[in-house]
Amino acid sequence: CVRGGVCVVAVSGWYLLKGREREFARRSMLIGAIVGLVGTGAVMLSGDSSGVHAAKYQPMKLAAAEGLEKGGPRAPFSIVPGVEIPGMLSILATHDIDGVVPGINDILNGYTDNEGNFVPSVAEKMARGRKALDDLAVYRELKDSDPDSAAVVRKVLDRNVLYMGYGHLEKPEDVIPPVPVVFWAFRLMIGLGMLMALLLLLALIFSWKDKLDKKNWFYIAALCCIPLVFICGQCGWIVAEVGRPPPRS
């Protein structure tokens, strides 16, 4: 919706810039702005739930997106390196200013989560993952010929199966994504998203108040936002996929 709304606003601006189909362009700009702003609200709600989900199930992605090496309660949100909002990351990730957000080093070395459970170090997860892979091979060999022994092996396998993906890693640092790429892609996504929201809001105000005449600067700005809205979306995919560690961290 956001991308479509921006494109409709921009094309409408092009028509107004050229003096063509002015009444049609005004109405289409209003519709595009409304749809885009509704989409912006939906993206914000979705982003909030995605952040909470990432904090719980993919904490390394969140730590990389924030460049957070040492986490804990009241974790700060980094706007750019050296400029932080104290406690904001904890609020965004856990909806609690005292919520624990682990950093990269915490995830590597082990930490205690918000429910009081100790999360093992990556090295321990790797050892348990390799144990799970070995037990899986043994279980497959025994399940038909020796069901009783297979059942015993299966119990041990079930305790370690969660970490099976870690068994394929060569070293603990393999779970760390390229932090600069994820960090700056996240900020570019947020910055461009805010720019798109501003464009749509201005389009709504100008259209609603019938003040679109002779605003060439706005028409040109809207046209410039067409490639930017696509870049914004691709930055989101970079954060989602490049930031995804090999196994669940």
Side-chain angles (χ1 to χ4, degrees):
C1 287
V2 178
R3 189 177 301 172
V6 169
C7 289
V8 169
V9 167
V11 172
S12 301
W14 184 84
Y15 272 92
L16 291 170
L17 184 64
K18 296 298 181 179
R20 296 171 51 188
E21 305 290 346
R22 298 187 67 85
E23 185 60 29
F24 169 78
R26 287 191 182 96
R27 293 185 179 184
S28 63
M29 183 173 288
L30 177 61
I31 294 172
I34 292 173
V35 172
L37 286 171
V38 170
T40 299
V43 168
M44 292 174 66
L45 292 174
S46 174
D48 176 69
S49 62
S50 295
V52 173
H53 184 275
K56 185 174 183 179
Y57 296 107
Q58 292 185 319
M60 183 60 82
K61 177 190 292 186
L62 183 62
E66 281 302 308
L68 186 67
E69 294 185 359
K70 178 65 177 176
R74 296 178 177 263
F77 179 85
S78 173
I79 299 175
V80 293
V83 181
E84 298 178 339
I85 303 176
M88 181 56 69
L89 183 58
S90 288
I91 294 173
L92 295 174
T94 68
H95 293 169
D96 181 359
I97 194 171
D98 293 315
V100 174
V101 179
I104 294 172
N105 293 332
D106 302 310
I107 295 168
L108 287 176
N109 300 321
Y111 65 96
T112 301
D113 65 17
N114 285 293
E115 298 174 357
N117 301 314
F118 181 74
V119 180
S121 67
V122 175
E124 182 178 344
K125 292 177 182 178
M126 289 171 60
R128 295 178 67 174
R130 289 167 183 158
K131 172 66 174 170
L133 291 171
D134 292 341
D135 287 341
L136 178 61
V138 174
Y139 172 76
R140 286 173 172 171
E141 291 179 1
L142 297 177
K143 66 177 181 177
D144 294 325
S145 60
D146 190 351
D148 292 337
S149 297
V152 174
V153 174
R154 179 59 185 267
K155 290 181 180 179
V156 179
L157 173 61
D158 288 343
R159 290 198 295 267
N160 296 314
V161 70
L162 179 64
Y163 306 110
M164 189 175 290
Y166 289 88
H168 298 286
L169 301 180
E170 295 182 359
K171 56 186 184 299
E173 290 76 16
D174 287 343
V175 302
I176 305 175
V179 175
V181 174
V182 180
F183 180 89
W184 288 111
F186 182 69
R187 271 137 197 83
L188 189 57
M189 177 189 71
I190 296 297
L192 290 177
M194 294 175 66
L195 179 62
M196 298 306 113
L198 177 61
L199 173 78
L200 293 167
L201 182 61
L202 288 175
L204 177 64
I205 293 172
F206 292 155
S207 301
W208 192 268
K209 294 186 175 182
D210 197 21
K211 293 184 177 181
L212 279 171
D213 291 335
K214 298 180 181 179
K215 284 189 169 52
N216 289 0
W217 65 270
F218 181 71
Y219 310 150
I220 295 171
L223 288 168
C224 291
C225 283
I226 291 180
L228 295 181
V229 74
F230 284 91
I231 293 173
C232 180
Q234 292 308 307
C235 286
W237 280 111
I238 290 172
V239 173
E241 302 304 330
V242 177
R244 190 191 307 276
R248 192 173 76 175
S249 59

